[in-house]
Amino acid sequence: MTEEVSVPESHPRYESLLTRHRIEAGVERGITSKQGLIAEGRGEAFDYLLGEETTDSADRAARAAAAYLLSAEHAVVSVNGNAAALVPEELVELADVTGAELEVNLFNRSRERIEAIADYLREHGAEGVKGLDADARIPGLDHERAKVDSDGIYDADVVLVPLEDGDRAEALGEMGKTELVVDLNPLSRSPQVATVPIVDNIIRAIPTITDHARELAGDPAAQQAAIETFDADAALADAKRRIREVEA
């Protein structure tokens, strides 16, 4: 969905304009809900305050996330409409490198949207996309995001949940899962309850996690070191400090 962008990469707002186009195209294709447009705008505001770059603390978080995915017994990447529209190929690549499964999970759920997202991921190389069965529920949630596959998110020990809802993030944590969250707002409930909060734009975060996973693959000692040296509270504090210190 990126081929129609006519803005040159040298444009200072290229990444922002590209992101907006992908979300808009996702709505037109039935992948992204209209509410996703609002969520993207909110995230873009925080990205601007963070300097629109991957900070050192976000990079350390991405490395810890890669280590958790590689060392998991059963890792799953949860995919919603915005994530599918923004980084479909990158999500497939991350799953390939780490051995994680992809599962579609939506707040505004319909069979048509689930199938559209699954088909779109397959177009970008995915195999065995989960989320269509929805034969299990996350305890404590009444909305549609509670519906998951019993052999997917429900069974996983490590779940990467980019652009997550706060209440589901809490519920997954209460199930004892190691939760890796990508969210540009360090004040949001999702990163606050995450094992690893990655305060970064998903367009940058997913490839960064993949790069670290390639480096850490086959090295359990390095994976453990990345996990043990990561401090979630410090990562969130760093992001908040950067926002407070932004120059007008």
Side-chain angles (χ1 to χ4, degrees), residues 139-213:
L141 295 180
D142 296 327
H143 55 69
E144 292 291 273
R145 293 207 77 178
K147 296 179 179 179
V148 293
D149 281 12
S150 60
D151 60 349
I153 289 174
Y154 191 86
D155 178 64
D157 59 329
V158 176
V159 186
L160 172 61
V161 281
L163 315 181
E164 181 61 88
D165 295 325
D167 57 347
R168 199 176 80 115
E170 286 186 330
L172 287 170
E174 289 173 1
M175 291 179 71
K177 301 185 185 302
T178 297
E179 195 170 13
L180 321 172
V181 168
V182 179
D183 195 316
L184 278 161
N185 178 4
L187 301 174
S188 175
R189 196 170 16 158
S190 298
Q192 292 285 338
V193 301
T195 307
V196 179
I198 307 164
V199 184
D200 200 4
N201 192 318
I202 190 174
I203 286 182
R204 297 188 299 269
I206 299 302
T208 301
I209 298 170
T210 302
D211 289 343
H212 281 300

Side-chain angles (χ1 to χ4, degrees), residues 2 30 45 57 60 64 72 79 86 96 103 123 132 136 164 167 174 181 186 192 212-213 223 226 230:
T2 63
S57 60
R60 289 191 293 272
V79 183
L86 291 171
D96 287 343
E103 179 169 338
E123 288 177 20
L132 293 169
E164 181 61 88
D167 57 347
E174 289 173 1
V181 168
Q192 292 285 338
H212 281 300
Q223 293 168 25
F230 177 71

Side-chain angles (χ1 to χ4, degrees), residues 65-80:
Y68 272 114
L69 289 170
L70 289 168
S71 60
E73 292 185 10
H74 182 195
V76 175
V77 178
S78 181
V79 183
N80 66 8

Side-chain angles (χ1 to χ4, degrees), residues 1-218:
M1 290 189 293
T2 63
E3 65 276 8
E4 297 178 5
V5 176
S6 59
V7 179
E9 292 188 24
S10 59
H11 191 288
R13 304 299 302 155
Y14 173 78
E15 186 172 278
S16 173
L17 294 171
L18 174 63
T19 300
R20 295 177 197 177
H21 167 78
R22 288 181 176 176
I23 292 292
E24 180 184 11
V27 172
E28 293 173 352
R29 182 163 176 151
I31 290 173
T32 307
S33 70
K34 291 182 179 179
Q35 289 87 342
L37 294 167
I38 299 171
E40 174 57 34
R42 182 178 61 226
E44 186 174 314
F46 278 97
D47 200 18
Y48 194 83
L49 293 173
L50 289 164
E52 297 179 300
E53 64 180 9
T54 299
T55 64
D56 290 341
S57 60
D59 183 72
R60 289 191 293 272
R63 185 174 181 83
Y68 272 114
L69 289 170
L70 289 168
S71 60
E73 292 185 10
H74 182 195
V76 175
V77 178
S78 181
V79 183
N80 66 8
N82 279 33
L86 291 171
V87 286
E89 185 174 345
E90 293 84 349
L91 288 170
V92 172
E93 186 176 9
L94 174 62
D96 287 343
V97 171
T98 62
E101 295 184 300
L102 298 173
E103 179 169 338
V104 182
N105 180 269
L106 304 174
F107 185 86
N108 295 294
R109 181 187 179 93
S110 70
R111 183 75 181 186
E112 291 74 21
R113 277 191 71 208
I114 292 282
E115 291 178 347
I117 292 172
D119 287 343
Y120 191 61
L121 292 171
R122 293 188 193 102
E123 288 177 20
H124 288 82
E127 297 181 3
V129 180
K130 293 185 178 298
L132 293 169
D133 292 338
D135 54 348
R137 293 186 66 91
I138 298 170
L141 295 180
D142 296 327
H143 55 69
E144 292 291 273
R145 293 207 77 178
K147 296 179 179 179
V148 293
D149 281 12
S150 60
D151 60 349
I153 289 174
Y154 191 86
D155 178 64
D157 59 329
V158 176
V159 186
L160 172 61
V161 281
L163 315 181
E164 181 61 88
D165 295 325
D167 57 347
R168 199 176 80 115
E170 286 186 330
L172 287 170
E174 289 173 1
M175 291 179 71
K177 301 185 185 302
T178 297
E179 195 170 13
L180 321 172
V181 168
V182 179
D183 195 316
L184 278 161
N185 178 4
L187 301 174
S188 175
R189 196 170 16 158
S190 298
Q192 292 285 338
V193 301
T195 307
V196 179
I198 307 164
V199 184
D200 200 4
N201 192 318
I202 190 174
I203 286 182
R204 297 188 299 269
I206 299 302
T208 301
I209 298 170
T210 302
D211 289 343
H212 281 300
R214 286 198 178 93
E215 180 186 344
L216 293 169

